Amino acid sequence: MSQANSYLAELVGAFGDPIAENPTGVMQEAAFRALDLNWRYLTIEVHAADLAAAVAGMRAMNFRGINLTIPHKVEVLRHLDEIAPDAGLIGAVNTVRRDGDRLVGENTDGKGFLRSLQAVPIDPRGRRVVILGAGGAAKAIAVELALAGASHITVVNRSVERGRALADGLARTVGTASDFEPWVSSHRVPDGTEILVNATSIGLFPGIEAVPEVDFATIRPGMVVCDVIPNPPRTRFLALAEERGATTLDGLGMLVYQGAIAFTMWTGREAPTDVMHRALREVFG
Ligand code: NDP
């Protein structure tokens, strides 16, 4: 008796511009292969003016989900049917999942950061946090740490307006005690800080010699120092913090976990994080 085969692949992918160097597809494809799933991750250049048409296209082609990167993370909100509460607070979506005919906007960046903290294991509940930066990554991390019960969050940023808006927003929307400090020179990390996060782009390849200006004498053993930079995984910032006796956490883990959370949202399967981690490590040499 002949048996019908299905050659139909499930589709997910990423929309961005520029996007050619985005390595997410390598990690997701490795995960699909590891679980023997007939899924494809397509890395697609979508210009800002074409986002509405691209979302309509993914609906028409029954994509199971999509990642969004620059410049679409905020603009995409108006094209979706529903926004997850934390993505609404962050004001940006990096992952869309399909719920029947509905497209739901999620943000897995901050969740990925939390998951990498929990893997140490570190519970952010009741902890005092300092976040360097107030851009998209900083916002996602700050909101998830606030929702996870961090007791106090200080935002340190070069642009006063952006930094203050993030700190005020955390206090207003989540109710977390937060304040803002302008980043004027070598930042002294306040006594009692338990988690310090570099959420700026300082140190990202190819600018790998650059280090966020903090007074490393104020970093103490027992402090958890994190970097969002995935490439290189071991930044100079983390190396200097480690010399001071801090526990460090790199941005590669956050990148793997944010992808793993999206993978599970799309496929309903647990993500093979070790396979994904290995695939990205190979990309970053
Ligand atoms: P944004 O452009 O939204 O924000 C950049 C932030 O860095 C701003 O706060 C900006 O300050 C600050 N900054 C940049 N250069 C300097 C400088 N020379 N001195 C002081 N502050 C500076 O970027 P994103 O938040 O989207 O991304 C930031 C980094 O996070 C990127 O390197 C990205 O690769 C990484 N990332 C990592 C993820 C992961 O999974 N590991 C996920 C998402 C992002 P100002 O407001 O004053 O301009």
Side-chain angles (χ1 to χ4, degrees), residues 24-284:
T24 303
V26 175
M27 157 173 91
Q28 296 290 1
E29 289 271 338
F32 296 148
R33 275 196 304 277
L35 269 59
D36 203 17
L37 294 175
N38 188 17
W39 285 56
R40 304 283 182 281
Y41 188 101
L42 306 177
T43 300
I44 305 172
E45 186 176 275
V46 173
H47 303 302
D50 297 326
L51 181 64
V55 174
M58 69 159 284
R59 280 185 197 268
M61 287 184 276
N62 203 26
F63 269 54
R64 300 292 291 269
I66 203 86
N67 285 138
L68 285 311
T69 182
I70 291 170
H72 305 309
K73 284 186 174 183
V74 176
E75 188 58 25
V76 76
L77 270 82
R78 62 163 77 198
H79 303 298
L80 304 176
D81 303 305
E82 191 182 327
I83 308 296
D86 58 344
L89 289 173
I90 296 162
V93 160
N94 78 331
T95 300
V96 172
R97 64 178 169 86
R98 189 179 273 273
D99 181 7
D101 286 340
R102 296 169 63 73
L103 296 183
V104 183
E106 300 270 1
N107 194 312
T108 66
D109 281 337
K111 288 192 179 85
F113 175 81
L114 273 192
R115 184 86 71 86
S116 71
L117 262 187
Q118 285 155 357
V120 175
I122 292 157
D123 182 353
R125 193 178 311 269
R127 307 271 188 161
R128 295 182 72 84
V129 180
V130 172
I131 298 180
L132 307 171
K139 235 182 198 174
I141 289 170
V143 165
E144 296 296 348
L145 282 171
L147 292 173
S151 63
H152 188 277
I153 298 179
T154 299
V155 176
V156 179
N157 199 50
R158 182 180 57 179
S159 143
V160 170
E161 207 178 322
R162 221 174 174 193
R164 188 160 284 147
L166 175 52
D168 290 352
L170 290 174
R172 199 180 53 250
T173 59
V174 191
T176 302
S178 11
D179 57 11
F180 165 70
E181 284 186 29
W183 200 349
V184 278
S185 59
S186 188
H187 183 75
R188 290 182 58 79
V189 183
D191 279 351
T193 301
E194 294 164 283
I195 301 174
L196 170 67
V197 187
N198 171 38
T200 73
S201 44
I202 302 169
L204 183 67
F205 180 85
I208 62 173
E209 291 303 320
V211 181
E213 277 190 48
V214 299
D215 178 354
F216 282 88
T218 59
I219 291 181
R220 297 174 189 84
M223 205 183 271
V224 181
V225 177
C226 318
D227 207 328
V228 295
I229 302 293
N231 183 24
R234 188 175 159 81
T235 56
R236 281 193 66 206
F237 176 65
L238 291 186
L240 290 167
E242 219 165 76
E243 278 174 21
R244 295 287 308 160
T247 299
T248 58
L249 206 59
D250 69 42
L252 187 59
M254 173 180 167
L255 187 62
V256 168
Y257 284 119
Q258 65 77 32
I261 294 165
F263 180 97
T264 299
M265 285 176 174
W266 295 331
T267 65
R269 302 280 296 272
E270 195 174 325
T273 49
D274 50 340
V275 169
M276 297 168 87
H277 202 273
R278 216 175 307 128
L280 275 187
R281 262 204 181 278
E282 277 173 24
V283 170
F284 295 144

